[in-house]
Amino acid sequence: MTTYQEMIFRLKRYWADRGCIITEPYDVEVGAGTMCPETFLRVLGPDKYRVAYVQPSRRPADGRYGENPNRLYKHSQLQVILKPTPEDVIEQYLGSLEAIGIDLKKHDIKFEEDNWESPTLGAWGIGWQVMLDGMEITQFTYFQQCGGVDLDLVPAEITYGLERLCAFLQDKESVYDIDWTDEFKYGQVRLKEEQQFSVYNFEMADVPTLWKLFDLHEGECQRLIGLYHASEEGKQRFPVLPTYDQVLKCSNLFNLLDARGAISVTERVGVIARVRKLAVGVAGMWVDQQGQVAA
Amino acid sequence: MATKDFLLEIGVEEIPDWMIEEGLGALQAKVQELIAPLSGWVSMAEATPRRLVIGCRGIAEREADREEILSGPPKQANPQAVEGFAKKCGVAVADLELIESPKGTYYSFRKKVKGKTAIEIFSGSLPGIILGIPWPKTMLWPGKGGARFIRPIRWLLCLLGEEVVPFSINGIATKNETSGHRQLGEYRVAVSIDNFEQTLRDNFVLLRGEERRAKIEAELPPGVKADEKLLHTLTYITEFPTPIVGDFAASYLSLPEEVLVTVMRFHQKYFSVADPEGGLVPKFVAVMNTASDPEGLVKHGNERVLRARFNDARFFYDVDQQKPLAARVEDLKVVTFQKELGSYHAKTERVMALVQELGGDAATVRAAELAKTDLTCEMVKEFTELQGIVGGLYAKAQGESAEVGDAIYDHYKPVSMEDSIPRTRAGQLLSLADKVDTLRGCFRIGMIPSGSKDPFALRRAAQGIVKILVEGELNLGLKALAGGVEKLEEFLLERVKYYCQEIRGYAYDEVAAVLAAGADDLQDVLIRLEAVKTVRASEDFEPLAAAFKRMKNILDQAKFTPSSAVDPALFTDDAEKALWTAFSTVAASVKGKSYGEVLAGMATLRPAVDLFFDKVLVNAPDQAVRANRLTLLFGLKAEFSGIAEFSEIVPQT
């Protein structure tokens, strides 16, 4: 049986062999692998890039106290960015499934329309969910915009839901029963985390504190964006990446507030707009800074 | 002349199923236009998710030569100008002609233009035609400044006879190669026009939509619930469809059937299976995009996925039951209906009041109170298409009356013109009130549909109102429903017109005539329409309608309102006396009769009316005589125009 970690090793190796940089996860809470600077910022501008990384994605509202066999507060995505997109990108993708032991001739694969959009990041793309024997295993997206900026080179983003894929490979009914190694189950590693974070996210997180934090990070982000635009000479060494971290903090706090039921439907639109404004600001800075370096 | 066959295949990454046929149709039309001068015709237009294919026959080698007239300077121009023009045309002045046109006489040159070859035409025009296919949503590829298309093009096959028609799009050059099924076929394989379809078949691609559809249908097991839309989708997300039957544990059948079917249908694209009595059996049918499943792996995988989905549904169901709908009314305060129109809680209060106003009983009001509470349920958050339905099911499960439950269950109905209206009176009133509230609110804040813009689906809501009023035989006036919002009243009237014309088949002018008479209750509108339609068939009717138009014009021009009754003593002509007598007799005889009888009686007045207009000058010099005549016409028009405004009738002859 292919263990969880063996499956990840193989996928990483597969994409490494196709020219991808293999990196470790980004160490700030994100709701999706897309939000990491390795994707969100690197897809901007004319430079080629190829990267693959496993990113834990935290979605507080998806938590189920570890009681739902398929839903997790924190799941892992393998994020692959190919910029520009190779012509045989889908064949390469299908090859990655073979690399983890799926015999494509024996299974049913369909590409069903599923366009991706992140209103908080001002990002969207066109693509599919890839269905393997009726299960969605991958989101495949051709990015069109990030931070409201049209992309110079349209990258392919391949996002694998690793727990699902592994549950499929190992034919497990519950994520928690996945063999992480021959000796340890997924549940042994992650169940406590699911339970405790569900309790915190749904019950104990202090809403006024979360709002305060949101305001603080938003303020810091705005301050930095303002400084960037005010500085003429210092742009090349300006901390754009730390500014972007503030966007990620806001985004995560927004998700937490949402899980706490603290954001009404009306407010939602407003808060999303606040985060998007920051994301757009940083994307603009990044593009501008890249141009400065090139010049 | 020898002709050739032509074949174009655009190899694309998976096109969304719902866009394929329209895109293909647009391509076909453009190609047909292109080959018209080559006297060819499109013989095949087919598509799978990964290819758009056009085949043509009878393509001539080249189009006919033709003449083009280039006009130059006018006759009186100086010789240098004429010489310059000749030079530009590449000929001597002697080769120019003086050609007369409506604007004058000009030096001109008859240029012989050689017809382009078919290859030139195809090579020159196809890239533009292909990239010009209109898609609902496109992507830029391979980036800024690149092409826009539905998805990246990965190969181009283009043959004229044996020859590859050369062109390229975004660096993809035409070849004589196609691609087989992603998993089962060859990646790239050479073909000719003659063996193209067979080669695809050998590589597990059934090119023809009709064949894929027939294959699915033929292989469905008995008991499958018919689902045209799903069948269409599956036909266009597969290249080689094969249905397989899967099972699920019978214990899931304790979940509401609606939930099970929705999970299968919308989330997994499965057909559900029923027993002869119509009850669900614990089976489903998935359609694979592959030839077979000898080891049962695909079946097993699909069963696993469905089990997980059903487990989720059960989880949502159980969680939802922990808080009954009645306890959720308060929660609606934080669920926004529309920014300026407040929360669903506010909407609920308005709808409750409205339902009462419309004559709803206690059960209807209770249904209105609970109708939107399912929006806070996990099940609806997960399966949004089940809103209303879930509320109805939960209400019954939680001890509300069947009347309340059914009303909630149905209150989004009808969702289209084809859909049925709510089953019960309570459901009909609730649905009406809900839609009326939405419309009133949106119109008040200026959210009025225009052109193709109708984000809140207000047209559909208004159309639903009309359908419920008519088919539910509800005696409610449109004016009252519009709540004094004038534009909404007009909007509803538009929908009434649409319904009467398109669904009930009444003529445009009949509908206009009845509505112009101020009919407000739709039951009444339809009875009047039927009466007008019936009497219209009589030969006296249309001429009479024309006479009414004349009366209207005369009265409008005179801006006349009668100040006294008709005075027979003032009649000076037999014709007016005769009309007066006939009118009085008919009016008395149809008093209290049905619209049909009134109109039939009116139609008998035609000879008298005709005679009147023949013999009598309404605008008599004598003021009193004139006023008396106008009073007669006014009375006549008022008596019969209450049913329909006949001046709106457009004579058909």
Side-chain angles (χ1 to χ4, degrees):
Chain A
M1 172 153 330
T2 312
T3 61
Y4 182 60
Q5 68 188 34
E6 181 59 30
M7 180 189 83
I8 293 171
F9 293 153
R10 287 196 204 170
L11 285 171
K12 284 185 173 178
R13 164 59 51 200
Y14 181 87
W15 288 111
D17 288 344
R18 275 149 195 81
C20 285
I21 299 160
I22 303 299
T23 72
E24 298 305 312
Y26 198 58
D27 50 357
V28 172
E29 302 96 322
V30 293
T34 305
M35 304 176 80
C36 299
E38 286 296 323
T39 296
F40 181 77
L41 294 176
R42 291 285 190 171
V43 295
L44 295 166
D47 299 333
K48 293 179 177 181
Y49 206 63
R50 281 189 177 203
V51 66
Y53 53 96
V54 173
Q55 179 67 42
S57 298
R58 291 169 167 87
R59 295 180 187 169
D62 281 356
R64 292 289 182 270
Y65 295 88
E67 284 164 20
N68 187 299
N70 309 301
R71 256 183 216 234
L72 299 169
Y73 139 73
K74 186 175 105 181
H75 74 286
S76 298
Q77 295 180 334
L78 174 69
Q79 176 80 0
V80 179
I81 293 292
L82 304 171
K83 175 192 173 194
T85 306
E87 251 181 61
D88 61 346
V89 60
I90 295 198
E91 284 73 21
Q92 286 196 27
Y93 163 69
L94 292 174
S96 73
L97 299 181
E98 284 177 317
I100 54 171
I102 298 173
D103 182 347
L104 294 181
K105 288 204 189 311
K106 292 183 179 171
H107 291 276
D108 172 37
I109 292 183
K110 299 193 193 89
F111 286 73
E112 299 181 4
E113 179 189 23
D114 192 9
N115 302 323
W116 176 84
E117 185 183 15
S118 167
T120 33
L121 293 185
W124 66 277
I126 271 185
W128 310 272
Q129 48 180 346
V130 184
M131 307 297 285
L132 176 63
D133 295 347
M135 184 176 70
E136 181 192 350
I137 51 164
T138 302
Q139 177 77 39
F140 191 115
T141 308
Y142 288 114
F143 277 159
Q144 301 286 296
Q145 262 194 358
C146 266
V149 178
D150 287 334
L151 301 186
D152 292 300
L153 292 173
V154 167
E157 180 208 49
I158 304 171
T159 304
Y160 303 73
L162 292 175
E163 286 88 352
R164 284 169 169 233
L165 194 55
C166 193
F168 174 89
L169 276 183
Q170 299 182 1
D171 195 23
K172 295 287 168 71
E173 292 286 317
S174 165
V175 163
Y176 299 104
D177 294 335
I178 290 174
D179 293 315
W180 193 302
T181 66
D182 288 335
E183 199 184 340
F184 297 101
K185 302 277 185 208
Y186 190 93
Q188 287 170 274
V189 187
R190 291 273 181 253
L191 182 60
K192 279 241 144 16
E193 195 177 352
E194 283 299 317
Q195 291 167 337
Q196 295 188 6
F197 273 93
S198 291
V199 171
Y200 178 76
N201 297 341
F202 289 125
E203 301 168 24
M204 289 196 182
D206 183 54
V207 172
T209 304
L210 294 180
W211 276 123
K212 224 179 279 168
L213 287 169
F214 184 94
D215 292 342
L216 286 172
H217 286 295
E218 183 191 36
E220 178 68 346
C221 190
Q222 282 168 336
R223 184 182 71 86
L224 287 164
I225 293 172
L227 283 177
Y228 180 85
H229 291 295
S231 102
E232 267 313 316
E233 295 94 65
K235 277 186 176 180
Q236 278 185 48
R237 59 184 297 278
F238 194 87
V240 172
L241 290 165
T243 311
Y244 183 60
D245 276 8
Q246 303 302 320
V247 180
L248 295 179
K249 300 270 188 204
C250 286
S251 170
N252 183 59
L253 285 160
F254 164 68
N255 289 337
L256 263 172
L257 283 160
D258 203 24
R260 288 291 278 118
I263 299 182
S264 72
V265 184
T266 330
E267 274 178 305
R268 220 184 147 70
V269 184
V271 184
I272 287 176
R274 281 167 72 182
V275 181
R276 185 174 52 231
K277 196 171 167 208
L278 303 178
V280 167
V282 175
M285 282 158 64
W286 172 269
V287 172
D288 187 68
Q289 191 176 52
Q290 297 309 101
Q292 303 253 331
V293 174
Chain B
M1 190 169 31
T3 61
K4 286 183 177 168
D5 292 347
F6 168 82
L7 180 67
L8 169 70
E9 179 185 45
I10 307 163
V12 216
E13 291 176 4
E14 280 76 354
I15 307 171
D17 57 272
W18 58 279
M19 302 177 183
I20 293 177
E21 283 179 308
E22 220 168 298
L24 178 70
L27 174 66
Q28 178 182 357
K30 283 289 180 194
V31 171
Q32 180 63 61
E33 233 173 77
L34 184 69
I35 60 177
L38 295 166
S39 72
W41 68 91
V42 173
S43 56
M44 172 177 67
E46 292 291 342
T48 76
R50 293 179 65 215
R51 61 199 82 225
L52 300 170
V53 175
I54 300 283
C56 301
R57 291 247 161 92
I59 305 288
E61 215 160 299
R62 56 167 61 245
E63 56 181 354
D65 295 344
R66 61 179 197 282
E67 238 179 31
E68 236 171 60
I69 294 177
L70 307 174
S71 38
K75 189 179 165 189
Q76 56 276 20
N78 62 44
Q80 282 109 311
V82 179
E83 216 157 286
F85 173 64
K87 207 167 168 190
K88 215 174 83 191
C89 296
V91 294
V93 173
D95 296 321
L96 299 180
E97 284 176 60
L98 282 165
I99 296 183
E100 269 181 56
S101 78
K103 285 192 212 153
T105 305
Y106 291 87
Y107 281 96
S108 305
F109 176 61
R110 270 183 216 278
K111 191 179 166 195
K112 298 240 182 318
V113 182
K114 221 168 155 42
K116 283 192 208 156
T117 65
I119 289 269
E120 282 169 346
I121 290 179
F122 284 127
S123 293
S125 299
L126 283 175
I129 287 177
I130 292 169
L131 292 176
I133 297 173
W135 301 104
K137 188 166 191 170
T138 54
M139 60 173 275
L140 205 57
W141 141 82
K144 237 186 241 170
R148 282 212 156 273
F149 206 61
I150 178 65
R151 292 287 185 278
I153 293 174
R154 290 308 182 200
W155 77 89
L156 289 164
L157 162 69
C158 193
L159 295 170
L160 181 65
E162 313 270 284
E163 206 178 336
V164 173
V165 177
F167 66 89
S168 67
I169 295 176
N170 267 13
I172 309 286
T174 50
K175 289 186 182 156
N176 64 339
E177 285 178 0
T178 185
S179 293
H181 186 280
R182 274 204 194 284
Q183 293 122 277
L184 305 175
E186 299 246 7
Y187 181 62
R188 297 283 190 258
V189 53
V191 288
S192 67
I193 291 181
D194 291 337
N195 69 14
F196 173 66
E197 204 174 339
Q198 186 56 45
T199 307
L200 285 181
R201 190 181 301 277
D202 296 343
N203 282 279
F204 295 93
V205 175
L206 301 179
L207 177 60
R208 296 179 189 259
E210 213 29 69
E211 185 180 352
R212 292 195 302 277
R213 182 194 170 92
K215 183 173 190 294
I216 298 172
E217 280 186 302
E219 294 172 21
L220 287 177
V224 161
K225 288 196 171 183
D227 192 331
E228 200 40 51
K229 221 173 150 195
L230 181 58
L231 182 60
H232 184 271
T233 299
L234 292 166
T235 301
Y236 283 100
I237 58 172
T238 54
E239 297 212 289
F240 196 92
T242 307
I244 50 162
V245 181
D247 303 288
F248 58 85
S251 59
Y252 291 113
L253 291 174
S254 63
L255 281 167
E257 180 175 323
E258 291 85 344
V259 172
L260 298 176
V261 171
T262 300
V263 171
M264 289 190 271
R265 165 84 166 74
F266 292 97
H267 297 262
Q268 294 299 133
K269 300 192 170 76
Y270 296 160
F271 291 99
S272 44
V273 185
D275 59 25
E277 281 77 53
L280 278 193
V281 297
K283 285 187 183 307
F284 66 91
V285 181
V287 173
M288 309 183 290
N289 181 31
T290 183
S292 63
D293 181 29
E295 295 170 45
L297 290 175
V298 180
K299 172 176 150 60
H300 180 75
N302 278 279
E303 286 173 349
R304 227 183 117 264
V305 179
L306 188 61
R307 208 153 44 231
R309 286 275 191 189
F310 281 173
N311 276 336
D312 275 349
R314 183 138 71 192
F315 175 83
F316 299 140
Y317 189 88
D318 293 343
V319 169
D320 285 345
Q321 297 317 311
Q322 289 164 16
K323 186 171 191 179
L325 295 180
R328 292 173 184 266
V329 178
E330 206 49 31
D331 300 345
L332 291 177
K333 283 185 174 162
V334 292
V335 185
T336 305
F337 165 55
Q338 205 281 334
K339 209 173 158 190
E340 290 161 77
L341 301 173
S343 69
Y344 268 101
H345 190 268
K347 181 175 180 49
T348 296
E349 288 183 332
R350 292 194 301 267
V351 173
M352 285 168 74
L354 194 49
V355 153
Q356 262 170 319
E357 236 173 82
L358 300 177
D361 58 9
T364 317
V365 177
R366 176 65 169 169
E369 187 181 4
L370 301 180
K372 301 298 180 189
T373 51
D374 70 359
L375 293 175
T376 69
C377 292
E378 297 299 321
M379 190 74 88
V380 171
K381 286 186 202 160
E382 184 73 8
F383 307 116
T384 48
E385 55 274 59
L386 285 178
Q387 56 183 321
I389 291 170
V390 160
L393 294 169
Y394 285 2
K396 280 200 250 184
Q398 292 164 9
E400 300 288 338
S401 70
E403 213 188 341
V404 169
D406 289 344
I408 297 172
Y409 188 100
D410 284 350
H411 86 277
Y412 288 97
K413 286 166 94 57
V415 293
S416 68
M417 272 325 267
E418 295 73 39
D419 191 20
S420 57
I421 64 168
R423 293 161 288 173
T424 61
R425 182 54 37 122
Q428 291 161 9
L429 289 177
L430 175 55
S431 175
L432 271 184
D434 182 32
K435 293 175 171 63
V436 164
D437 175 71
T438 299
L439 283 164
R440 282 184 188 175
C442 288
F443 272 70
R444 279 205 187 105
I445 60 168
M447 281 179 49
I448 300 173
S450 68
S452 60
K453 270 198 176 159
D454 184 13
F456 263 60
L458 298 181
R459 277 196 196 90
R460 198 171 69 193
Q463 205 65 68
I465 289 173
V466 172
K467 198 170 156 98
I468 292 170
L469 287 175
V470 175
E471 293 174 18
E473 300 183 358
L474 286 161
N475 291 106
L476 294 168
L478 287 177
K479 275 200 185 68
L481 290 181
V485 183
E486 207 173 296
K487 281 193 171 157
L488 175 55
E489 206 181 313
E490 287 165 25
F491 188 71
L492 286 170
L493 277 176
E494 277 308 307
R495 300 292 103 195
V496 172
K497 281 184 191 162
Y498 175 84
Y499 182 87
C500 294
Q501 287 162 221
E502 303 301 322
I503 309 295
R504 292 304 187 91
Y506 291 106
Y508 169 81
D509 55 348
E510 291 163 6
V511 178
V514 168
L515 292 179
D520 186 48
D521 174 329
L522 295 190
Q523 297 307 310
D524 186 41
V525 166
L526 285 168
I527 298 171
R528 291 180 194 217
L529 273 171
E530 196 49 37
V532 172
K533 189 180 169 185
T534 307
V535 73
R536 189 170 195 178
S538 78
E539 58 176 327
D540 285 332
F541 180 75
E542 284 199 359
L544 192 66
F548 267 87
K549 189 168 216 151
R550 206 162 154 190
M551 288 178 217
K552 183 176 185 292
N553 289 341
I554 291 169
L555 291 164
D556 283 353
Q557 249 172 23
K559 294 195 179 73
F560 180 80
T561 329
S563 47
S564 56
V566 172
D567 181 1
L570 285 168
F571 288 144
T572 62
D573 196 302
D574 285 347
E576 55 184 330
K577 205 173 289 173
L579 178 59
W580 165 242
T581 312
F583 167 40
S584 308
T585 315
V586 170
S589 74
V590 299
K591 196 139 256 148
K593 296 277 178 67
S594 73
Y595 293 138
E597 287 166 305
V598 175
L599 292 185
M602 181 192 89
T604 65
L605 290 176
R606 185 196 161 190
V609 171
D610 282 354
L611 193 69
F612 176 87
F613 279 121
D614 263 1
K615 303 275 177 189
V616 180
L617 178 70
V618 178
N619 286 324
D622 184 311
Q623 274 293 333
V625 170
R626 177 165 167 254
N628 197 48
R629 287 176 183 166
L630 286 169
T631 305
L632 170 62
L633 293 184
F634 189 91
L636 182 61
K637 186 170 173 296
E639 177 74 24
F640 296 108
S641 293
I643 299 175
E645 180 55 75
F646 299 107
S647 56
E648 296 283 343
I649 297 288
V650 181
Q652 281 165 339
T653 45

